[in-house]
Amino acid sequence: MATTLPDYLPLHASLKHDFDRATAFRPALSKQVQELVDMILQDTKRYIDQMLTESVEVSAVVGSNLASLEALLRSQFDLAKYTQSVKSTKEKIKHVGREEPAISLETLEVYHAKEHALNFADEIDEQFRMEKEVNDVDAEFAEFLKKNNDYQNLKKMLFVIDNPEEPIPDDEEDEDLNVSGGKISLKDPISLNYFAAPVIAKRCQHTFEKESILTHLVSNNNCPINGCTNKITSSDLVEDQLMKIRVKAYLAKERKRHENVARVV
Ligand SMILES: [Zn+2]
């Protein structure tokens, strides 16, 4: 009879406590990742504000921040998957622990026979691997990104910085925007000047210069856009940050183009 310890040890319920201790790093790690996410968002906001007040080029910075954010969100996503694996392993320990006798000289043989069974640490890895195998993790991650508002906002900002007049692709909200010839108008439909302080009507998604629409609302609460039947009150208006970024990015590009033309002439 073999008296060495078997490779496989019973998954006793008392292991659960060791197990909790071994996985205690999760909340701290998750907090650290969230802190990094917040840092990137703050940093990006600072750059965008700088662009809005000083017309600084920010496309490259926002682009690399978006990439870092995506990498961090991926760790957040993987950590959530890992947490799931830990949970199912814990369930398994609870369940198996009830069925397996404690290890003793009498039961040693039983556990030697189980040499290919997984120990609890391997069990987590196995659950994690299975989770990845069974599900299309990349597609799931794409869904996860779609639901992350911070990521989506940052992505939209980067898009309009690079393409000030283009509608955002695959965005249903954009169908209602002022699009002419495939381009988005960067001018207030009332004053016909470039937007400086654009506001958007929440229900119909039409954008106006704040001062123009407030003046219009004094005598009339119909949306001034032809064919739009929406009624607007001043409380329906929210700042249209994307439009503000579009105008700044567009004017900066125009200025640059003129400078280049002047240099050539
Ligand atoms: Zn409208």
Side-chain angles (χ1 to χ4, degrees), residues 176 201 203-208 222-232:
D176 288 335
R203 256 173 295 168
C204 66
Q205 299 283 303
H206 285 128
T207 299
F208 308 95
N222 291 316
C223 176
I225 299 296
N226 256 343
C228 183
T229 55
N230 187 43
K231 301 254 183 246
I232 302 176

Short mmCIF file of all heavy atoms in Angstrom, two decimals, residues 176 201 203-208 222-232, ligand 1:
data_model
loop_
_atom_site.label_atom_id
_atom_site.label_comp_id
_atom_site.label_asym_id
_atom_site.label_seq_id
_atom_site.Cartn_x
_atom_site.Cartn_y
_atom_site.Cartn_z
N ASP A 176 -31.56 61.27 -36.50
CA ASP A 176 -32.35 62.49 -36.37
C ASP A 176 -31.51 63.76 -36.49
O ASP A 176 -32.04 64.86 -36.47
CB ASP A 176 -33.08 62.50 -35.02
CG ASP A 176 -34.21 61.48 -35.03
OD1 ASP A 176 -34.71 61.18 -36.13
OD2 ASP A 176 -34.59 61.01 -33.95
N ALA A 201 -32.03 69.24 -27.85
CA ALA A 201 -33.36 68.95 -27.30
C ALA A 201 -33.43 67.44 -27.07
O ALA A 201 -33.26 66.66 -27.99
CB ALA A 201 -34.45 69.40 -28.27
N ARG A 203 -35.66 65.14 -26.51
CA ARG A 203 -36.59 64.21 -27.16
C ARG A 203 -36.36 64.07 -28.67
O ARG A 203 -36.38 62.98 -29.19
CB ARG A 203 -38.03 64.60 -26.87
CG ARG A 203 -38.65 63.67 -25.82
CD ARG A 203 -40.01 64.14 -25.39
NE ARG A 203 -39.91 65.42 -24.70
CZ ARG A 203 -40.96 66.19 -24.40
NH1 ARG A 203 -42.17 65.84 -24.78
NH2 ARG A 203 -40.79 67.32 -23.75
N CYS A 204 -36.14 65.20 -29.39
CA CYS A 204 -36.00 65.06 -30.85
C CYS A 204 -34.54 65.09 -31.31
O CYS A 204 -34.27 64.89 -32.48
CB CYS A 204 -36.84 66.12 -31.57
SG CYS A 204 -36.26 67.80 -31.31
N GLN A 205 -33.61 65.34 -30.36
CA GLN A 205 -32.17 65.31 -30.69
C GLN A 205 -31.75 66.40 -31.69
O GLN A 205 -30.75 66.24 -32.37
CB GLN A 205 -31.76 63.92 -31.22
CG GLN A 205 -31.99 62.79 -30.24
CD GLN A 205 -30.93 62.73 -29.15
OE1 GLN A 205 -29.74 62.63 -29.41
NE2 GLN A 205 -31.36 62.85 -27.90
N HIS A 206 -32.54 67.48 -31.78
CA HIS A 206 -32.11 68.59 -32.62
C HIS A 206 -31.25 69.54 -31.79
O HIS A 206 -31.51 69.75 -30.61
CB HIS A 206 -33.33 69.32 -33.20
CG HIS A 206 -33.98 68.54 -34.31
ND1 HIS A 206 -35.33 68.26 -34.35
CD2 HIS A 206 -33.44 67.98 -35.42
CE1 HIS A 206 -35.59 67.54 -35.44
NE2 HIS A 206 -34.46 67.36 -36.10
N THR A 207 -30.22 70.07 -32.45
CA THR A 207 -29.25 70.91 -31.74
C THR A 207 -29.39 72.37 -32.15
O THR A 207 -29.61 72.67 -33.34
CB THR A 207 -27.81 70.41 -32.02
OG1 THR A 207 -27.70 69.08 -31.54
CG2 THR A 207 -26.77 71.27 -31.32
N PHE A 208 -29.30 73.27 -31.17
CA PHE A 208 -29.41 74.72 -31.43
C PHE A 208 -28.37 75.46 -30.62
O PHE A 208 -27.89 74.95 -29.60
CB PHE A 208 -30.80 75.23 -31.00
CG PHE A 208 -31.93 74.44 -31.57
CD1 PHE A 208 -32.50 73.41 -30.84
CD2 PHE A 208 -32.43 74.72 -32.83
CE1 PHE A 208 -33.54 72.66 -31.38
CE2 PHE A 208 -33.47 73.99 -33.37
CZ PHE A 208 -34.03 72.94 -32.65
N ASN A 222 -42.71 75.17 -30.19
CA ASN A 222 -42.53 74.12 -31.19
C ASN A 222 -41.06 74.08 -31.58
O ASN A 222 -40.40 75.11 -31.65
CB ASN A 222 -43.35 74.41 -32.44
CG ASN A 222 -44.84 74.28 -32.17
OD1 ASN A 222 -45.28 73.34 -31.52
ND2 ASN A 222 -45.61 75.26 -32.63
N CYS A 223 -40.56 72.87 -31.88
CA CYS A 223 -39.19 72.76 -32.38
C CYS A 223 -39.12 73.51 -33.71
O CYS A 223 -39.95 73.29 -34.59
CB CYS A 223 -38.82 71.29 -32.58
SG CYS A 223 -37.19 71.07 -33.31
N PRO A 224 -38.13 74.41 -33.86
CA PRO A 224 -38.07 75.22 -35.09
C PRO A 224 -37.63 74.46 -36.34
O PRO A 224 -37.64 75.03 -37.43
CB PRO A 224 -37.07 76.33 -34.75
CG PRO A 224 -36.37 75.91 -33.53
CD PRO A 224 -37.11 74.79 -32.89
N ILE A 225 -37.27 73.19 -36.21
CA ILE A 225 -36.84 72.42 -37.38
C ILE A 225 -38.06 72.02 -38.20
O ILE A 225 -39.04 71.49 -37.66
CB ILE A 225 -36.04 71.16 -36.96
CG1 ILE A 225 -34.78 71.53 -36.18
CG2 ILE A 225 -35.69 70.29 -38.17
CD1 ILE A 225 -33.74 72.30 -36.95
N ASN A 226 -37.99 72.27 -39.52
CA ASN A 226 -39.07 71.91 -40.43
C ASN A 226 -39.45 70.44 -40.32
O ASN A 226 -38.57 69.58 -40.40
CB ASN A 226 -38.65 72.18 -41.88
CG ASN A 226 -39.29 73.44 -42.40
OD1 ASN A 226 -40.27 73.93 -41.82
ND2 ASN A 226 -38.75 73.97 -43.49
N GLY A 227 -40.74 70.16 -40.13
CA GLY A 227 -41.17 68.77 -40.09
C GLY A 227 -41.07 68.12 -38.72
O GLY A 227 -41.59 67.02 -38.53
N CYS A 228 -40.42 68.79 -37.77
CA CYS A 228 -40.33 68.23 -36.41
C CYS A 228 -41.52 68.73 -35.61
O CYS A 228 -41.77 69.93 -35.55
CB CYS A 228 -39.03 68.62 -35.72
SG CYS A 228 -38.84 67.88 -34.08
N THR A 229 -42.26 67.81 -35.01
CA THR A 229 -43.48 68.20 -34.28
C THR A 229 -43.26 68.23 -32.78
O THR A 229 -44.20 68.36 -32.00
CB THR A 229 -44.62 67.20 -34.60
OG1 THR A 229 -44.15 65.88 -34.28
CG2 THR A 229 -45.01 67.25 -36.06
N ASN A 230 -41.99 68.12 -32.37
CA ASN A 230 -41.67 68.07 -30.95
C ASN A 230 -41.89 69.43 -30.27
O ASN A 230 -41.61 70.47 -30.85
CB ASN A 230 -40.22 67.64 -30.79
CG ASN A 230 -39.84 67.39 -29.35
OD1 ASN A 230 -40.60 66.78 -28.61
ND2 ASN A 230 -38.66 67.85 -28.97
N LYS A 231 -42.44 69.38 -29.05
CA LYS A 231 -42.55 70.60 -28.25
C LYS A 231 -41.32 70.67 -27.34
O LYS A 231 -40.88 69.65 -26.81
CB LYS A 231 -43.80 70.54 -27.35
CG LYS A 231 -45.09 70.38 -28.14
CD LYS A 231 -45.86 71.68 -28.17
CE LYS A 231 -47.19 71.53 -28.87
NZ LYS A 231 -47.23 72.33 -30.12
N ILE A 232 -40.77 71.86 -27.20
CA ILE A 232 -39.54 72.01 -26.40
C ILE A 232 -39.77 72.99 -25.24
O ILE A 232 -40.40 74.03 -25.43
CB ILE A 232 -38.37 72.54 -27.27
CG1 ILE A 232 -38.11 71.59 -28.45
CG2 ILE A 232 -37.09 72.68 -26.45
CD1 ILE A 232 -37.03 72.09 -29.40
ZN ZN B 1 -36.84 68.82 -33.24
#
